[in-house]
């Protein structure tokens, strides 16, 4: 019998991996908990909106507030558009340099989110790495790392951030450009919040390293870094995600505090904290919009992120299921 006469099997279409992943995600308990909470859904939408506004700021802003060529002092201190003295296109008014407040908020939002995300990424990488090492190896290594963490916990995070910021400025002779200032802020925030990651990961590793799968990995001769990163670390992601979400809000607040105190981003590249510091000088002069609208934007962003963090903490807690 020829090959042409043989029946050919009907090809079976396998679902794409992406579709399977999405179906599992939508069917998970986490997504069910998410869509049941209207407050959490609203917080997620607001957070996503802030991120989209920051990403598309050049397309949405009437002007580039970081470009001195687009600023005119004749347009300084114009009240919002809906007031009697308002002028188009300044929807939220202008500040003392003639910057459109709405444009300054959108661009400042980019700086605040960038510093916050990079600061959380740095503190997370540092804390997770030290927590894995302390929990897996134990002994003197664990003692040294945890004693350093205990000492740091005695100081407020903002004080550590101010210390790092002051050291960087003294070393550079107080001649930091905006990019260097951005790096200093990320380092200051990262060194302020790594302890929470380290202590949480260490506690999880102390439990996981005594389980059979770790003993099996050690038995077949896998090196310690592979065991820690490939086998132990995935079982600590739940608490780490909760800490990272909450710390994002804390990092943004810390950056805003440093900028408000004059130790953050310069006025030529203002973050939300810098805008609030600038507007605070004119609050009692009648130009309330210069400080009120950046303050509302910062408060709304922090509140939305904190609500997401609270939901994630409860959703990933097996005792509350």
């Amino acid at each position: 019998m020829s090959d042409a006469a043989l029946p050919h099997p009907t090809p079976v279409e396998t679902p794409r991996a992406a579709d399977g992943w999405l179906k599992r995600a939508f069917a998970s308990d986490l997504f069910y908990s998410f869509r049941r909470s209207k407050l959490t859904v609203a917080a997620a939408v607001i957070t996503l909106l802030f991120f989209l506004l920051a990403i598309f700021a050049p397309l949405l802003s009437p002007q580039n507030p970081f470009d001195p060529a687009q600023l005119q002092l004749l347009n300084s201190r114009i009240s919002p558009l809906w007031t009697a003295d308002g002028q188009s296109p300044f929807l939220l008014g202008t500040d003392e340099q003639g910057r459109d407040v709405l444009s300054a908020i959108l661009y400042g939002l980019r700086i605040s989110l960038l510093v916050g995300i990079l600061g959380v990424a740095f503190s997370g990488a540092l804390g997770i790495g030290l927590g894995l090492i302390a929990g897996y190896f134990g002994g003197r290594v664990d003692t040294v790392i945890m004693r350093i963490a205990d000492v740091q916990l005695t100081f407020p995070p903002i004080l550590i951030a101010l210390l790092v910021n002051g050291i960087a400025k003294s070393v550079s002779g107080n001649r930091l450009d905006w990019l260097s200032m951005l790096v200093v802020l990320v380092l200051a925030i990262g060194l302020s919040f790594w302890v929470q990651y380290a202590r949480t990961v260490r506690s999880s590793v102390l439990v996981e390293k005594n389980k059979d799968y770790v003993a099996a990995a050690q038995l077949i001769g896998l090196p310690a870094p592979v065991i820690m990163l490939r086998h132990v670390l995935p079982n600590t992601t739940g608490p780490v995600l909760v800490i990272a979400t909450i710390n994002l809000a804390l990092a943004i607040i810390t950056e805003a505090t440093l900028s408000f105190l004059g130790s953050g981003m310069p006025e030529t590249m203002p973050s939300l904290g810098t805008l609030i510091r600038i507007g605070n000088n004119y609050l009692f002069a009648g130009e309330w919009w210069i400080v009120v609208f950046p303050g509302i934007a910062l408060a709304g962003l922090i509140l939305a992120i904190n609500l997401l963090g609270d939901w994630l903490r409860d959703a990933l807690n097996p005792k509350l299921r």
Side-chain angles (χ1 to χ4, degrees):
M1 181 180 286
S2 63
D3 293 341
L6 293 175
H8 293 281
T10 303
V12 179
E13 294 184 0
T14 58
R16 292 182 301 175
D19 294 340
W21 181 84
L22 286 175
K23 289 181 180 179
R24 289 194 300 270
F26 287 131
S28 65
D29 294 339
L30 192 64
F31 183 75
Y32 177 75
S33 172
F34 171 76
R35 62 188 178 88
R36 281 190 61 194
S37 175
K38 295 182 180 179
L39 183 62
T40 304
V41 173
V45 171
I46 294 173
T47 303
L48 179 61
L49 177 62
F50 274 113
F51 274 88
L52 292 176
L53 289 175
I55 293 172
F56 297 105
L59 301 178
L60 301 174
S61 303
Q63 65 175 208
N64 182 358
F66 297 165
D67 184 7
Q70 298 187 25
L71 307 182
Q72 297 183 11
L73 291 178
L74 294 177
N75 293 329
S76 63
R77 303 185 189 180
I78 297 176
S79 59
L81 181 61
W82 63 84
T83 61
D85 298 329
Q87 298 180 20
S88 179
F90 308 118
L91 179 63
L92 302 182
T94 62
D95 62 8
E96 84 288 352
Q97 297 183 27
R99 281 186 301 216
D100 176 53
V101 172
L102 176 60
S103 302
I105 290 174
L106 294 180
Y107 276 82
L109 189 62
R110 304 179 92 188
I111 300 294
S112 296
L113 286 174
L114 180 62
V115 173
I117 292 173
L118 292 179
V120 167
F122 176 63
S123 63
L126 179 62
I128 291 171
L130 293 176
L132 284 172
I133 294 171
Y136 188 82
F137 293 105
R140 293 182 178 179
V141 175
D142 181 26
T143 301
V144 171
I145 294 176
M146 287 300 101
R147 294 299 78 75
I148 294 175
D150 292 339
V151 171
Q152 180 163 336
L153 285 176
T154 62
F155 298 95
I158 188 63
L159 184 60
I160 298 174
L162 283 170
L163 178 63
V164 174
N165 187 281
I167 293 174
K169 284 189 173 182
S170 63
V171 171
S172 64
N174 206 20
R175 293 187 300 270
L176 294 175
D177 57 10
W178 72 269
L179 185 58
S180 301
M181 198 65 244
L182 182 69
V183 174
V184 170
L185 286 173
V186 171
L187 290 175
I189 292 172
L191 293 175
S192 302
F193 294 108
W194 68 270
V195 175
Q196 292 176 310
Y197 296 95
R199 292 169 66 91
T200 302
V201 171
R202 172 185 175 272
S203 301
S204 299
V205 172
L206 289 176
V207 175
E208 296 294 328
K209 76 174 184 177
N210 295 320
K211 294 185 177 179
D212 293 339
Y213 73 91
V214 176
Q218 293 172 340
L219 187 62
I220 63 176
L222 290 179
V226 174
I227 297 175
M228 288 189 294
L229 297 176
R230 185 180 298 177
H231 300 282
V232 178
L233 180 59
N235 293 306
T236 66
T237 54
V240 168
L241 284 176
V242 175
I243 295 174
T245 305
I246 296 176
N247 274 2
L248 176 59
L250 292 176
I252 294 174
I253 291 177
T254 302
E255 184 279 325
T257 304
L258 291 173
S259 296
F260 184 82
L261 296 174
S263 299
M265 297 301 295
E267 295 187 8
T268 54
M269 296 285 288
S271 64
L272 291 180
T274 308
L275 293 175
I276 294 174
R277 175 173 62 84
I278 295 172
N280 188 61
N281 298 327
Y282 299 93
L283 179 60
F284 296 103
E287 287 85 15
W288 53 268
W289 58 89
I290 303 177
V291 66
V292 168
F293 293 122
I296 292 174
L298 179 62
L301 175 62
I302 299 303
L303 178 61
I305 295 176
N306 277 332
L307 289 175
L308 281 178
D310 290 342
W311 163 79
L312 194 61
R313 178 194 58 201
D314 296 339
L316 295 178
N317 189 350
K319 295 181 180 180
L320 299 178
R321 293 180 182 177

